[in-house]
Amino acid sequence: MSEKIPIGEKVLMKGNEAIGEAAVQACCDCYYGYPITPQNELTAYMSRRMIEEGRVFIQTESEIAAINMCYGSAAVGARSMTSSSSPGISLKQEGISYMASAQLPVFYVNVNRGGPGLGNISPAQSDYYQTTRGGGHGDYRVIAFAPSDVQELYDLTMLGFDLADKYRNPAMIQADGILGQMMEPLVLHEYKRPPDLPSKQPWRLGDPSTTDPLLVTSLVLNVTGMEERNLELQKKYDTITENETRFEEVGLDGADVVMVAYGTASRIAKSAMEVARAKGIKVGLFRPITIWPFPSARLNGLADRFDNFLVVEMSLGQMWEDVRLAVEGKAPVHVHGRTAGGIPQQADIVADLRKVLDAKPGEIVKNF
Amino acid sequence: MTQKIRCAGFGGQGIVLMGKLLAQAGMMDDKHTTFFPQYGAAMRGGTANCSVIVSDDAIASPMVEEPDVVLVMNGPSLDRFEPTVQPGGWIFYNTSLIDREVERKDVNVFKVAANSIAEEVGNARTANMVMLGAFAKKLGTVNLETLLGSLDVQMHGKSGKIMDMNREAMKRGAALIK
Amino acid sequence: MERVFTKPVAMKEPRTLYCPGCGHGVAHRLVAELIDEFGLRERAIGIAPVGCSVFADLYWNFDVISTAHGRAPAAATGMTRANPDCFVVSYQGDGDLAAIGTAEIIHAANRGENFVTVFVNNAIYGMTGGQMAPTTLVGQKSTTCQLGRDPAIMGHPIRVCELLQTLGGVAYIARGALESPKTIMKTKSYLRKAFEYALDRRGFTLVEMLSPCPTNWGMTPPQAMTWLRENMLDYYPLGVVRDVGAEEKAQKPVAA
Ligand SMILES: Cc1ncc(C[n+]2csc(CCOP(=O)(O)OP(=O)(O)O)c2C)c(N)n1
Ligand code: SF4
């Protein structure tokens, strides 16, 4: 990228860098990060752009430090951000749990790589459980976006900051190494701050305009108090589910099989869909854009109209579980899963679509 | 029209830059395009490759399983990617560093003495540009003029001398096609 | 014909996949030579840290464990405490030891754990592609300090040996360099001392090795050697930083 950012224009950009520029545009005040592949370009990008803009950038000593710096910055009302990949995100989970409990906004990015353990640096979606179940300890959720192209990485980063602030809750992007590393044209939209964002003045620390002392904490020792806080959180999560569930449907009309896939897997499924249709297989695609909140209600409705679902994911049956929960047994849910750098191949998906159509009643195609 | 291209060679040959230039030119020609590099530690001193898709239609999967075209800069890459090309596809290869023939009979072959030409231009490191020029002129996937223009974006900040040499190398590659 | 130079038995493969001019191969070999010299191959455990040397098991011909980023000293503690007969060589890069693993190394040193630490300082994050390390010199460029390290916002390069040497559990700390045959041989003598102390269970031992990373310094191997010599040696002086054996000797009253 050249020094001047051509806002409003179409440019060719790497996914990781598009996230960075969106954050800069969306008035991110502080970015804290620690190197890890395959998201290094994001940290490198922020090291330059945040300092150019006179904002805060720190390459931290660890992921744990980074998320706790976010905790501090968020507590004084700043828009804070961190990013990492799977092992580093695991280390951040304690801090994220604290922020969820203290109701502090933060935006973070997980460019998934192969796991478990040190795993490998290849693309994967295998942090789905961690992402959609909160990730750390306790009864909490984070708003999780699952973009599928570079434009969406940019747009949903901006939205992520806004929703984090709006609901005083962690919000994040679940991407994979392909999305992070690929380049694609995108339009660098200008950031428009939603007019209804609540002021942080009533709760941010160190603000001279609040005279009573404030407390930010995730510790509530008395039992009723902590349970009450949890119930308050649950209410908030219900509101988020109602307002912020996002998905896309492609070519569902008359489909014999509905594929369910997100992120890069959804793009491969879309290509497979074209191949399958040319072979006379009637197939459509349902793409969750938020994986928490998960579009369960919509999928449940679709299960009344469609006979078969095939989940395509770069993990081994993690989203499969959510789709099965959503359709409540109204239709069979099949699965095609690859992981840790194994990428679903179009031909294999098409073959599985055939198997799904040929399946006997009660038979589930499980390909992994 | 959709064309799936893979560029391959060893680290240091400017393979990633080849892919970025193609994607940049595709975008400037108002086509849809994606670029995906092989990434990470596996690259140390070894092979490098990247894939680019240029299409008139929106691109679903950015993954290139069976390319229509491979631009091959060294021997090990030819061994690795020759079998992956679509029947009827194209193999462009660098005869300066590869002394064997392409074995497949169901693909088109175009030979480019990329390093020799680049040395004539003044720098062997522009061999990648020679290859790109030949490819663009031969198949017209991206416009040669646009490709030359894409250098200004992707090599922004490089000295005028380096830019001139790269442009010249690209033109010399294109000149292989009469 | 007489063979005068062979690979150590404790080395599987003398050729490495590291970049040309990288110091890791040399550091691995020094460890392997000393494992042979002390006859420790059967009970040795090497640590392959997170970093370019994560594949140390390809080269070391003895047991190897791969540990989480920065946690090698904790894993080494676990192994030596559970089985004091193990001889553990903990091996860490500068990001691994002096950034994410700062707590672990300080507390292992403070407790005087009986394993040897090889600390490879190449002033950069190698494996992840050249980010700033805690040991990156002021003004040195990296992908996350593209204008050069500015101590006002990024802090100062950490001198690990000097930092650790004050701790109670330390037996031996020295700094060598992998920049010429002479400094390599000297570094080996430091490491030999560390092995001896660890075998005698005298406490924490660490040998820092200043090491070139031509790839991420953006240099040829010869340029990298020169850069190391001209830039790192001033800030990271070579020599023994702490040696409790020598201190004891110095304190002993001379017999009349
Ligand atoms: C928790 C965690 N964070 C980040 C990484 C990514 N990572 C891999 S190697 C490395 C740093 C390596 O640098 P250094 O320790 O200096 O060793 P070198 O590669 O230079 O030998 C990092 C940050 C990781 N694997 N795990
Ligand atoms: S990147 Fe640096 S540390 Fe890693 S193998 Fe190459 S020279 Fe060695």
Side-chain angles (χ1 to χ4, degrees):
Chain A
M1 254 308 81
S2 62
E3 297 78 20
K4 263 187 51 225
I5 302 300
I7 291 303
E9 281 174 34
K10 192 154 118 184
V11 295
L12 185 70
M13 228 173 168
K14 201 169 233 223
N16 282 332
E17 298 184 340
I19 297 171
E21 189 53 41
V24 171
Q25 293 302 324
C27 309
C28 170
D29 297 301
C30 312
Y31 171 93
Y32 307 106
Y34 187 80
I36 188 165
T37 312
Q39 65 83 55
N40 284 319
E41 297 79 8
L42 173 50
T43 309
Y45 191 86
M46 295 304 260
S47 78
R48 186 166 59 76
R49 286 286 288 131
M50 291 297 275
I51 287 175
E52 259 171 31
E53 298 286 329
R55 305 189 204 160
V56 178
F57 167 88
I58 297 180
Q59 182 187 318
T60 59
E61 66 273 29
S62 70
E63 291 86 350
I64 301 175
I67 190 69
N68 285 289
M69 290 179 194
C70 287
Y71 184 83
S73 297
V76 296
R79 275 198 159 175
S80 65
M81 172 178 181
T82 185
S83 66
S84 189
S85 177
S86 311
I89 294 288
S90 290
L91 286 176
K92 291 184 198 289
Q93 292 302 343
E94 181 196 41
I96 295 166
S97 169
Y98 277 54
M99 294 187 85
S101 178
Q103 303 210 57
L104 290 176
V106 62
F107 175 73
Y108 65 100
V109 178
N110 179 1
V111 183
N112 286 204
R113 58 188 238 177
L118 198 48
N120 61 27
I121 56 174
S122 300
Q125 298 180 326
S126 44
D127 300 346
Y128 180 92
Y129 281 154
Q130 189 191 54
T131 294
T132 56
R133 270 66 182 163
H137 59 284
D139 276 306
Y140 76 96
R141 300 285 193 167
V142 301
I143 302 169
F145 293 104
S148 70
D149 59 31
V150 174
Q151 183 74 59
E152 249 184 2
L153 285 173
Y154 184 87
D155 296 346
L156 293 176
T157 293
M158 289 186 168
L159 184 62
F161 275 102
D162 289 340
L163 294 193
D165 278 355
K166 180 169 173 189
Y167 296 103
R168 292 180 58 189
N169 201 71
M172 56 112 36
I173 276 184
Q174 155 109 342
D176 61 69
I178 294 172
L179 276 169
Q181 294 294 325
M182 72 184 282
M183 292 178 97
E184 213 168 28
L186 81 157
V187 179
L188 298 173
H189 297 301
E190 202 180 329
Y191 172 68
K192 291 200 187 66
R193 193 187 160 83
D196 61 340
L197 278 190
S199 162
K200 296 179 177 177
Q201 189 270 344
W203 56 264
R204 73 174 160 223
L205 305 185
D207 185 335
S209 68
T210 39
T211 43
D212 291 339
L214 297 171
L215 171 69
V216 168
T217 184
S218 64
L219 171 78
V220 186
L221 269 185
N222 77 66
V223 175
T224 43
M226 195 63 214
E227 190 171 27
E228 265 165 34
R229 175 174 293 196
N230 269 289
L231 293 172
E232 196 187 308
L233 290 179
Q234 291 301 317
K235 245 188 249 153
K236 178 169 86 175
Y237 300 150
D238 288 344
T239 312
I240 295 172
T241 304
E242 204 164 297
N243 296 343
E244 310 298 346
T245 306
R246 286 170 170 78
F247 54 85
E248 184 195 23
E249 295 172 353
V250 188
L252 292 192
D253 280 345
D256 290 328
V257 190
V258 176
M259 286 192 283
V260 185
Y262 72 95
T264 295
S266 73
R267 294 180 68 146
I268 299 168
K270 214 174 193 175
S271 288
M273 183 168 102
E274 287 157 21
V275 178
R277 284 183 168 180
K279 296 189 173 177
I281 303 173
K282 291 189 205 134
V283 52
L285 175 68
F286 181 88
R287 177 171 79 90
I289 296 173
T290 50
I291 49 176
W292 193 88
F294 193 72
S296 307
R298 179 64 186 172
L299 275 167
N300 189 279
L302 293 181
D304 294 326
R305 288 165 46 205
F306 296 96
D307 295 337
N308 283 294
F309 292 83
L310 173 68
V311 176
V312 179
E313 57 180 294
M314 283 149 60
S315 48
L316 300 183
Q318 298 190 27
M319 187 168 74
W320 185 36
E321 211 163 280
D322 275 348
V323 178
R324 281 187 294 165
L325 284 169
V327 307
E328 294 180 313
K330 291 180 187 173
V333 182
H334 310 270
V335 63
H336 176 101
R338 299 290 305 274
T339 199
I343 312 287
Q345 303 288 302
Q346 292 171 31
D348 296 344
I349 298 173
V350 174
D352 279 353
L353 285 167
R354 279 238 188 277
K355 278 189 207 147
V356 164
L357 291 175
D358 295 343
K360 292 184 211 60
E363 183 188 338
I364 296 295
V365 176
K366 177 182 170 215
N367 189 351
F368 56 79
Chain B
M1 193 237 23
T2 296
Q3 202 158 64
K4 300 182 179 178
I5 305 147
R6 185 176 300 281
C7 309
F10 58 75
Q13 280 186 309
I15 302 300
V16 166
L17 180 61
M18 286 172 82
K20 285 186 182 173
L21 289 168
L22 280 177
Q24 181 74 39
M27 184 186 93
M28 288 159 65
D29 275 347
D30 271 333
K31 301 206 168 150
H32 294 270
T33 180
T34 59
F35 158 87
F36 179 60
Q38 171 208 2
Y39 62 88
M43 288 172 1
R44 304 252 176 281
T47 59
N49 80 83
C50 65
S51 52
V52 176
I53 303 179
V54 180
S55 175
D56 295 326
D57 307 307
I59 299 165
S61 170
M63 304 310 287
V64 171
E65 295 167 18
E66 295 170 343
D68 302 298
V69 183
V70 291
L71 309 180
V72 183
M73 297 300 287
N74 72 343
S77 301
L78 183 62
D79 298 344
R80 180 161 167 211
F81 293 112
E82 179 178 343
T84 65
V85 182
Q86 293 268 9
W90 282 87
I91 296 179
F92 286 71
Y93 77 99
N94 180 6
T95 50
S96 307
L97 299 185
I98 305 170
D99 53 16
R100 75 168 175 88
E101 299 289 316
V102 168
E103 279 161 19
R104 279 180 61 178
K105 298 286 172 259
D106 60 343
V107 294
N108 304 291
V109 175
F110 193 87
K111 297 182 183 180
V112 184
N115 284 62
S116 314
I117 298 173
E119 271 159 32
E120 285 167 29
V121 171
N123 190 338
R125 294 186 61 173
T126 59
N128 53 350
M129 301 295 156
V130 177
M131 180 61 87
L132 275 185
F135 159 74
K137 181 78 189 206
K138 182 80 191 164
L139 297 187
T141 310
V142 293
N143 198 308
L144 183 65
E145 287 306 312
T146 322
L147 194 60
L148 284 162
S150 72
L151 277 170
D152 296 331
V153 184
Q154 290 297 330
M155 294 187 73
H156 178 85
K158 289 274 188 296
S159 78
K161 189 167 160 247
I162 291 182
M163 296 296 284
D164 287 344
M165 211 139 49
N166 279 285
R167 273 190 218 103
E168 178 60 20
M170 211 179 257
K171 286 183 192 155
R172 287 287 302 273
L176 292 173
I177 291 92
K178 301 283 152 6
Chain C
M1 206 168 39
E2 193 198 353
R3 252 177 201 252
V4 294
F5 189 76
T6 56
K7 76 174 176 63
V9 179
M11 198 96 186
K12 282 180 191 160
E13 170 60 67
R15 240 186 333 215
T16 72
L17 296 173
Y18 297 115
C19 310
C22 177
H24 276 305
V26 179
H28 288 3
R29 185 175 169 115
L30 294 185
V31 171
E33 286 179 356
L34 288 167
I35 295 277
D36 278 7
E37 199 176 305
F38 286 86
L40 292 167
R41 209 177 70 81
E42 302 301 320
R43 57 193 184 102
I45 304 174
I47 293 193
V50 167
C52 281
S53 47
V54 70
F55 297 118
D57 62 293
L58 296 178
Y59 313 113
W60 281 337
N61 192 16
F62 45 90
D63 293 353
V64 171
I65 184 171
S66 149
T67 53
H69 194 21
R71 318 303 176 203
T77 300
M79 292 189 285
T80 45
R81 289 282 181 124
N83 180 358
D85 291 335
C86 300
F87 184 81
V88 175
V89 179
S90 179
Y91 187 107
Q92 298 190 264
D94 42 57
D96 199 66
L97 183 142
I100 194 167
T102 316
E104 281 78 2
I105 197 71
I106 284 183
H107 290 280
N110 194 46
R111 291 188 306 263
E113 299 294 344
N114 290 298
F115 57 83
V116 173
T117 295
V118 173
F119 169 42
V120 177
N121 177 0
N122 56 17
I124 201 94
Y125 282 54
M127 173 156 247
T128 41
Q131 292 83 6
M132 186 183 78
T135 51
T136 295
L137 295 175
V138 169
Q140 188 186 337
K141 289 182 180 158
S142 79
T143 64
T144 51
C145 52
Q146 295 174 26
L147 303 176
R149 182 177 192 149
D150 174 359
I153 40 181
M154 300 156 195
H156 297 264
I158 297 177
R159 292 187 186 98
V160 167
C161 295
E162 289 77 355
L163 178 74
L164 293 178
Q165 59 95 15
T166 63
L167 297 169
V170 170
Y172 184 80
I173 289 185
R175 182 184 288 120
L178 306 178
E179 140 286 317
S180 65
K182 192 168 148 228
T183 55
I184 292 170
M185 292 319 291
K186 191 79 193 161
T187 306
K188 184 175 172 184
S189 73
Y190 296 150
L191 192 59
R192 182 179 292 115
K193 192 85 178 172
F195 270 53
E196 282 167 9
Y197 278 27
L199 286 166
D200 292 346
R201 301 192 203 290
R202 300 200 60 160
F204 183 83
T205 55
L206 176 144
V207 177
E208 176 170 341
M209 302 185 185
L210 304 180
S211 173
C213 173
T215 300
N216 286 304
W217 294 355
M219 296 175 196
T220 63
Q223 284 169 339
M225 301 298 171
T226 309
W227 189 88
L228 189 160
R229 217 170 293 137
E230 290 177 356
N231 295 279
M232 291 182 79
L233 296 187
D234 275 350
Y235 193 82
Y236 298 115
L238 305 186
V240 176
V241 178
R242 184 89 199 268
D243 178 347
V244 289
E247 286 164 23
E248 278 165 14
K249 254 190 228 144
Q251 274 168 10
K252 256 192 211 136
V254 185

